[in-house]
Structure formats: structure tokens, C-alpha cells
Amino acid sequence: MPKLNENYQSLKESYLFSEIAHRVNTYLAENPDKKVIRLGIGDVTLPLSSEVIKSLHDGVDDMARAETFKGYGPEQGYAFLRNAISDYYKEHHVSIDPSEIFISDGAKSDTGNITDLFAKENTILVPDPVYPVYVDTNLMAGKQITYMAGTIENNFLPMPDKTIHADIIYLCSPNNPTGAVYNRSQLQEWVRYALENHAIILFDSAYEAFISDPELPRSIFSIDGAKKCAIEFCSLSKTAGFTGTRCGYTIVPNDLVFSASNGKEMSLNAMWNRRQSTKFNGTSYIVQKGASAVFTKEGMAQCKKNLAYYQENAKIIATCLTQKGFRFFGGVHSPYIWFECPEVEGSRDSWKFFDYLLNNIQVVGTPGAGFGENGKNFFRLTSFGNKENTIEAMERFDKLF
Ligand code: MLT
């Protein structure tokens, strides 16, 4: 009989967004005539931009001719895309060598797979609330997690507690789910803490394209010293509508070298390279061709136009919540709006609120409980819906409260 990975017993029965989809499908099976508006999972609704589509077509054509056909590609990604991403960082005054950039099928897999590089004995700090993948993937690997509370008092931006030693720190900014963004001095404090503790920051910047204030850092590598203590994960899912197309990248600086217990120096860039070449055969050439168009002048302009559309949706939601007197967070440098659940049927529990909205106005959001204990009385709405649906959802909201 195989011995199973019993760490799976410490997970919730299903992944947050699978549970939501299940509840919505059950509701629809019982109420087939109802129009459900989904503002739950952060899934984009606008099609890919015309520049990306053109480039995807070019990629398909390349595969049709012997001279340009591609078989297995480099596991780290094609040079044309790694160079384009390096240039993108340069535009934001951050210097990243293409050898530090690894192309993948998205930040979700990479933030999960990175756990392969670290031993069980680490002290791992994870904000609560936060994107559930960090927690679940560490639990799957049997690792212990120490939580740091994100609360209204700290604007959902936990800061280092100097009395605690950490080895690995997860940060997500702009934050999923709260929409909170670390400013430069806060990130500088985290980098200082990581350097003092010889710790690694795993920085998820999947929502960086939503930052509109040039003073706010879009990359941890815009902070001095970060290349000695941080790995950054980014994704084209939200920047360029790639949720279904799948492409992301992870930056592992060449400076990340640590001593192993036997005294041997180990480079995290070399380890990640080894891990990826063993377990991953690269993102498809066609997708990488499409992704490269995102970083052209015209491609980026088209992405910004789409981002502006979602930002407008965020305003529609924020305006309604303000009129209703709801206290909310995010929605400015983030596609997410995070608010305290009002008391319904004697409770502020976010799953009860989820059911209440679904049953009464057929609007789907994400219960804060799915992001951690500190989220249990909060609720998240996304601005990734289409405009008409967002307006209709908020009209229904307006009538209910
Ligand atoms: C979310 O809704 O939190 C995200 O879309 C999930 C993801 O990016 O995997």
C-alpha cells in the first residue's frame, strides 16, 4: 500500500475558488432562470488585445513551416521574451538581467513550486488574509506557517516584528485580497529586516500594472538591497488578460546565494533553473510569442486601455459602497474591493454573506474567510466583470441594502 502525503489532511476540503464555483453551480441547477453576476474570482472578461492576437497568429504560422518550427524550447523561456521583460523593468528604472528571468505558465504555479527550494525547518511568515495558494502549498509540503495579521489598524499591511526571526516571508502588493499597497519606505523596512535575518522575501507582484501612483513600488527590486533577499513573481493574467492563455515570470536574482548546512554555497537561481529544467518543459512557443507583444509600445498601450476599463468598474463599485456607507479598502491601485460584511440574519460571517447575496440578488463575490482567519468578516468584489454586469450588480446591491 502506498504511504500517502498525509499533509493533505490539513487542507480545507476544496480550494477556495472551486468551492465558490461549486456553490454557484448548485444554485444555478436549482434556479436555472436566474441571472447570476460573477464578481468572485479575479478572472478577466475583455478579450486579448489585437497586438497579442496578431503575435499569437505569427507563432502559429511559425509552427506551420519547417524553417521556423519549434520543438522543445528552453525551459527558462525564449530569449526574445526574457529580453522584453528585462527592458520592461528598465523602463521602470529596475535593472534585471535576462538570466534572472524564468518564463512560466503563471504566478500561481511558481508561487507554489518555489516551496521545492526550501527545507521544512524554516520559519515561514504569511500575511493573513492573503492569496490562499501560499498557505495551501506550504501545508501540502508539511511546512509550519506563522501568520502575520493584516487588520484595519495596520491598513492590511503587516510590518516586520523584530522580535520574531523569519526565514521566508510572503508579501503580495498590491495585495490580493485587500487591495492594499506597500509604499517604498515600508518595503525598504521589509528588505532591511530580511537582510538582517538572512531571510528571503517571496514577493508576488501579479497586480503591479494596477498601480497608477509613480511613487508606489511596482517591483521589490526597485528597493535597495532587494536583489540579495527577494524573489519576485509576476503574471500576465491581469496585466494583459492571460488568465486562459497562461504566461507569467519569476525573477530569481543571481545574487541570491546562501550557505547550506554542509558549508556549500548554493545559488537560488541555479536551484530554480535545475528545478525547472527537471520538472517543466517551458511555456509553449506560441504563448510566448503572444506574450512578447504585451511588451511592445502598441501592445502595452492596448493593455493600459483594458486596465482603465477595469479601473472604471472599480470606481462603479466604490461609488455604490460609499453611498451605502460601507467601509471598504482597495479598488484604487488594485482590481479588488474589500469591505466589512454588514450584519445579515444576525451574523457578519463572510460565507453567510456570500449565500445571502447569491440567494437574494444573484451576485457572486469572494468570502474573506477563504483568505484567512482575519478575513472572516470581510468580502471581496472584483472589477474584472464587464461594465454592464458591474453596473447591474451594484444596482441590485443598492436595492438590497
Ligand atoms: C483571485 O481571484 O484571487 C485570482 O484570480 C486567483 C488567481 O490569480 O489564481
Side-chain angles (χ1 to χ4, degrees):
M1 203 161 66
K3 300 208 172 28
L4 302 181
N5 180 352
E6 294 180 3
N7 297 317
Y8 276 65
Q9 290 179 4
S10 23
L11 299 171
K12 293 199 179 106
E13 196 173 316
S14 57
Y15 180 59
L16 172 62
F17 295 106
S18 316
E19 172 63 24
I20 291 174
H22 172 72
R23 289 196 190 204
V24 174
N25 291 340
T26 308
Y27 177 83
L28 276 174
E30 287 161 10
N31 303 277
D33 55 321
K34 296 282 191 202
K35 179 187 170 193
V36 167
I37 299 181
R38 295 172 199 257
L39 303 180
I41 190 163
D43 197 3
V44 294
T45 46
L46 291 174
L48 294 171
S49 71
S50 62
E51 287 298 300
V52 168
I53 292 293
K54 190 148 70 66
S55 202
L56 285 168
H57 280 297
D58 289 345
V60 172
D61 290 343
D62 287 346
M63 296 305 253
R65 286 188 302 266
E67 313 81 70
T68 47
F69 171 77
K70 302 280 186 294
Y72 290 125
E75 297 90 349
Q76 306 77 6
Y78 283 96
F80 64 79
L81 184 53
R82 298 172 94 192
N83 291 337
I85 293 170
S86 171
D87 290 345
Y88 175 65
Y89 274 78
K90 222 174 276 159
E91 279 164 33
H92 293 105
H93 314 290
V94 176
S95 160
I96 303 288
D97 190 83
S99 68
E100 300 176 308
I101 300 170
F102 294 81
I103 311 300
S104 70
D105 68 347
K108 182 180 186 176
S109 349
D110 281 2
T111 51
N113 293 334
I114 202 79
T115 58
D116 279 8
L117 305 196
F118 303 107
K120 261 193 184 170
E121 297 74 30
N122 288 298
T123 301
I124 302 171
L125 283 186
V126 177
D128 169 2
V130 88
Y131 184 42
V133 171
Y134 317 150
V135 171
D136 285 1
T137 53
N138 276 293
L139 293 180
M140 284 171 183
K143 297 181 185 179
Q144 301 283 337
I145 295 170
T146 305
Y147 292 98
M148 38 183 186
T151 58
I152 291 181
E153 289 67 40
N154 63 15
N155 291 316
F156 297 101
L157 293 169
M159 293 304 294
D161 174 348
K162 299 208 173 90
T163 63
I164 295 178
H165 163 82
D167 301 299
I168 296 171
I169 303 143
Y170 284 82
L171 297 179
C172 176
S173 177
N175 185 268
N176 180 8
T178 66
V181 191
Y182 282 109
N183 65 29
R184 296 191 69 77
S185 70
Q186 289 169 321
L187 270 194
Q188 188 68 68
E189 203 173 320
W190 270 115
V191 167
R192 211 174 299 124
Y193 170 83
L195 292 172
E196 277 165 17
N197 282 272
H198 303 287
I200 280 280
I201 297 174
L202 301 178
F203 190 79
D204 186 346
S205 65
Y207 299 91
E208 56 90 21
F210 279 86
I211 294 182
S212 49
D213 178 349
E215 294 303 316
L216 290 172
R218 298 168 70 126
S219 162
I220 189 139
F221 298 122
S222 65
I223 306 295
D224 285 345
K227 279 199 170 173
K228 293 208 175 309
C229 65
I231 290 175
E232 180 159 294
F233 305 90
C234 201
S235 161
L236 298 189
S237 286
K238 322 291 157 140
T239 305
F242 269 56
T243 51
T245 310
R246 309 304 311 148
C247 192
Y249 52 90
T250 290
I251 298 175
V252 191
N254 290 318
D255 284 352
L256 293 180
V257 179
F258 293 87
S259 296
S261 57
N262 62 1
K264 204 172 155 190
E265 301 266 273
M266 294 181 81
S267 143
L268 284 180
N269 180 289
M271 285 172 76
W272 183 244
N273 191 38
R274 185 71 175 82
R275 190 249 172 236
Q276 290 299 81
S277 10
T278 306
K279 295 195 182 180
F280 182 57
N281 252 337
T283 305
S284 94
Y285 169 73
I286 298 168
V287 167
Q288 291 191 61
K289 268 297 270 187
S292 66
V294 170
F295 299 98
T296 61
K297 198 159 171 255
E298 182 53 25
M300 197 41 80
Q302 292 183 346
C303 286
K304 286 196 176 139
K305 203 163 154 222
N306 287 358
L307 291 171
Y309 175 94
Y310 297 131
Q311 280 158 339
E312 191 54 39
N313 284 347
K315 277 194 201 136
I316 292 166
I317 298 172
T319 305
C320 173
L321 293 182
T322 306
Q323 280 164 2
K324 293 276 128 192
F326 280 63
R327 177 140 75 142
F328 68 92
F329 305 84
V332 181
H333 304 292
S334 157
Y336 298 129
I337 288 99
W338 178 250
F339 61 92
E340 279 180 290
C341 299
E343 192 172 310
V344 291
E345 295 163 357
S347 166
R348 287 185 188 273
D349 175 84
S350 58
W351 275 112
K352 289 213 174 102
F353 187 63
F354 172 91
D355 289 331
Y356 182 77
L357 287 188
L358 180 59
N359 290 325
N360 287 287
I361 54 170
Q362 294 76 48
V363 171
V364 178
T366 307
F371 299 101
E373 180 61 22
N374 282 309
K376 69 175 191 272
N377 296 138
F378 286 84
F379 205 72
R380 192 193 79 175
L381 291 176
T382 147
S383 64
F384 285 122
N386 74 39
K387 188 170 178 180
E388 296 68 34
N389 280 347
T390 305
I391 292 172
E392 189 177 336
M394 297 332 284
E395 282 168 359
R396 294 184 193 178
F397 210 88
D398 184 47
K399 283 199 193 113
L400 187 66
F401 295 101

